[in-house]
Amino acid sequence: MTQYHYQDPFEQTSQPYQQQPQHSEQSYQQPPQHAEQSYPQHHAELSYQQQPQQQSAQLAGQFSQRFQLLATNIERIIRGKHEAIELALICLFSEGHLLVEDVPGTGKTTLARSVAASVDAEWRRIQFTPDLLPSDITGVSIFNQAHQKFEFHHGPVFANIVLADEINRASPKTQAALLEVMEERRVTVDAEPHPVPRPFLVVATQNPVDMDGTYPLPEAQLDRFLMKISVGYPDHVSEVEVLKGMPTGPQVERLPVVARASDVSGMIDFASRIHVADPVYDYIVALCAATRTSPHLKLGASPRGSLALLRAARVKAAAAGRHYVVPEDVKALAVPVLAHRLILTPEAELREVTAAAALGEILAGMPVPQAA
C-alpha cells in the first residue's frame, strides 16, 4: 500500500479510547456511574479505565467524529451511497466481515478498496477463481534446506483488510479456507496456529446475475459474515458527478489516509464497551427468537446472529455520538445483519416472500422497549 503522511485531525483535542462499564440497568438512556477500574492495555498508545458518564459521552463524540471523517473520505469516491459506507464501517469497528452482493459496475470492489485506502493498514486482494487452492489464501509450509526445517510462508489473508473478489467463483474447498480465520482470526497449518493482525476485516463480493461457473456460499459460510449488503445504482445527481469527475476526479489510489490501524483498534475496544441496558438485550433475543418460529422461515437466526446484532448496534450508537444503545439502533441494523442468515420455507419462496420482508413483518409486530 502506498505510504502517506498521516496527520491526526483530532491530535490536539483527542483523548485515548477507554473501556466503559457493563451494566444491567433498565434505563438504556441513563447508564449508572461506577468507580474507576483499570483494564489491561492492549496498545501502547491506549489506556483503558472505566469513566464517569460525562467523559463516556465525550469519548463517544470523539468516536463519532472519527467515524464521520472516514465516511466522508470514502464518499469522495463512492458518491451517494452513505448508508452502504456506514454499514461497511460498522463492520470494520464491530470486528465483523462484509458480503457485498450486487450487479457488475456498481462499485462493490471500489467500496472495499476505498475503506482500505482510508486506513493506514495492510490490505490484500484475492481474485477468487475455480482453480484457486486453499493454500493460495492461507499460505503454505516450505522446507528450508539451510535450516533443515519447514517454515510457514504467509498467504494474502494475513492482512488487516482482505478483499475476496467474486468469492462464489471458487470451489467449496477453497471457500472453506476462510471459515477458521473469519471466526477465530487465526489460520492453522500443520497443527500450528498463526494469528492474523488486528484489525481484521474480510470484504467479499459476489455477482447475483452471472451464476455460470459459481458455487453458492453455504449457510455456514454466510453466517460468518456480520452483514450482507447491496451498493445499488447511484441516483441521477451522483452519477452525473461521477461522469464529470472522470478521469481527473478523485481516485482510490489518491485517497488520503485519515486513520491508523491503532486508531481503528482503539475505536473497536471503545465500541465493544458501549452501555447496553437489559431491555435492549431482551429486545435482541426476542427478535432473533421470533425468526425461529416465523411461519415464513425454515431456519431462523442463531445465537451468533444475536451477538452480531449486539456488536453492530454498539458501533452504530457510538457512531451517532451516544455511549448507550437504543432500540432504534437494533431495528436499523436487523435486516443487513440477520436477513442473510435466514432460510425461507418452500411456501414462502413460492409466494415470493423475501427474508427481508419476513424480518420486517417480525419487527413491525415486536414491542419496542421504552426509555425509563
Side-chain angles (χ1 to χ4, degrees):
M1 179 176 175
T2 305
Q3 295 298 315
Y4 298 91
H5 173 67
Y6 174 84
Q7 183 175 1
D8 189 345
F10 302 102
E11 188 174 4
Q12 302 301 322
T13 59
S14 62
Q15 300 181 29
Y17 288 100
Q18 298 174 328
Q19 290 189 337
Q20 303 304 309
Q22 302 283 345
H23 303 293
S24 58
E25 296 295 316
Q26 296 299 310
S27 169
Y28 57 77
Q29 289 193 341
Q30 296 297 329
Q33 300 184 24
H34 287 274
E36 293 188 356
Q37 175 183 349
S38 297
Y39 289 84
Q41 293 191 5
H42 297 288
H43 304 279
E45 301 177 7
L46 305 172
S47 61
Y48 302 102
Q49 294 178 333
Q50 291 186 348
Q51 298 298 321
Q53 183 175 339
Q54 184 177 1
Q55 190 166 359
S56 298
Q58 183 179 358
L59 293 174
Q62 180 189 338
F63 184 105
S64 179
Q65 285 182 296
R66 291 182 181 271
F67 188 96
Q68 296 305 324
L69 180 65
L70 276 166
T72 302
N73 196 55
I74 297 170
E75 281 188 290
R76 298 173 62 183
I77 301 296
I78 308 294
R79 302 294 182 87
K81 294 298 174 184
H82 183 77
E83 182 180 0
I85 293 171
E86 183 181 80
L87 292 176
L89 291 177
I90 287 175
C91 276
L92 174 64
F93 295 119
S94 302
E95 289 196 292
H97 307 290
L98 179 66
L99 177 61
V100 187
E101 183 181 80
D102 216 326
V103 297
T106 53
K108 302 185 298 294
T109 303
T110 305
L111 173 61
R113 291 180 61 201
S114 300
V115 173
S118 298
V119 180
D120 187 16
E122 188 175 6
W123 82 284
R124 294 286 184 271
R125 174 176 176 171
I126 308 172
Q127 184 64 52
F128 279 67
T129 56
D131 60 346
L132 193 70
L133 298 176
S135 58
D136 295 330
I137 299 174
T138 60
V140 64
S141 294
I142 299 177
F143 186 74
N144 187 323
Q145 292 186 350
H147 297 89
Q148 291 295 301
K149 65 177 182 179
F150 283 93
E151 294 181 352
F152 179 67
H153 290 248
H154 294 78
V157 77
F158 287 88
N160 297 110
I161 300 176
V162 178
L163 170 57
D165 213 3
E166 296 187 285
I167 189 173
N168 57 336
R169 292 204 173 276
S171 66
K173 180 179 180 179
T174 303
Q175 292 175 6
L178 288 171
L179 287 174
E180 180 188 15
V181 71
M182 290 176 67
E183 180 66 19
E184 301 178 25
R185 286 167 173 74
R186 68 178 184 180
V187 173
T188 303
V189 177
D190 298 332
E192 198 66 35
H194 303 275
V196 295
R198 188 177 189 244
F200 178 67
L201 169 70
V202 174
V203 181
T205 69
Q206 64 179 15
N207 177 6
V209 179
D210 183 11
M211 301 303 293
D212 293 336
T214 63
Y215 303 87
L217 294 176
E219 283 71 26
Q221 187 92 39
L222 286 172
D223 203 38
R224 294 293 198 278
F225 288 98
L226 183 81
M227 293 186 194
K228 178 182 177 183
I229 67 170
S230 295
V231 178
Y233 293 113
D235 56 57
H236 181 83
V237 175
S238 298
E239 192 163 2
V240 168
E241 290 179 358
V242 171
L243 296 179
K244 287 182 177 180
M246 296 298 291
T248 59
Q251 299 177 8
V252 176
E253 294 79 7
R254 299 177 183 174
L255 273 183
V257 173
V258 296
R260 297 166 293 199
S262 59
D263 295 329
V264 175
S265 297
M267 293 172 76
I268 289 171
D269 288 323
F270 174 73
S272 68
R273 293 165 182 87
I274 291 292
H275 172 72
V276 181
D278 279 354
V280 179
Y281 282 121
D282 293 338
Y283 183 60
I284 293 173
V285 172
L287 176 60
C288 291
T291 64
R292 302 163 195 164
T293 58
S294 170
H296 302 303
L297 301 174
K298 181 171 62 175
L299 179 67
S302 67
R304 181 185 285 151
S306 305
L307 291 169
L309 189 54
L310 173 64
R311 283 157 43 204
R314 277 180 158 144
V315 175
K316 185 169 180 62
R322 282 182 278 102
H323 60 289
Y324 54 88
V325 176
V326 297
E328 285 70 21
D329 297 326
V330 177
K331 292 184 68 174
L333 295 170
V335 172
V337 172
L338 298 180
H340 65 284
R341 307 171 193 269
L342 311 177
I343 298 180
L344 295 165
T345 62
E347 295 77 15
E349 291 181 345
L350 287 174
R351 295 197 301 270
E352 297 185 348
V353 176
T354 64
L359 194 54
E361 184 178 311
I362 293 172
L363 285 168
M366 182 76 59
V368 178
Q370 299 299 316

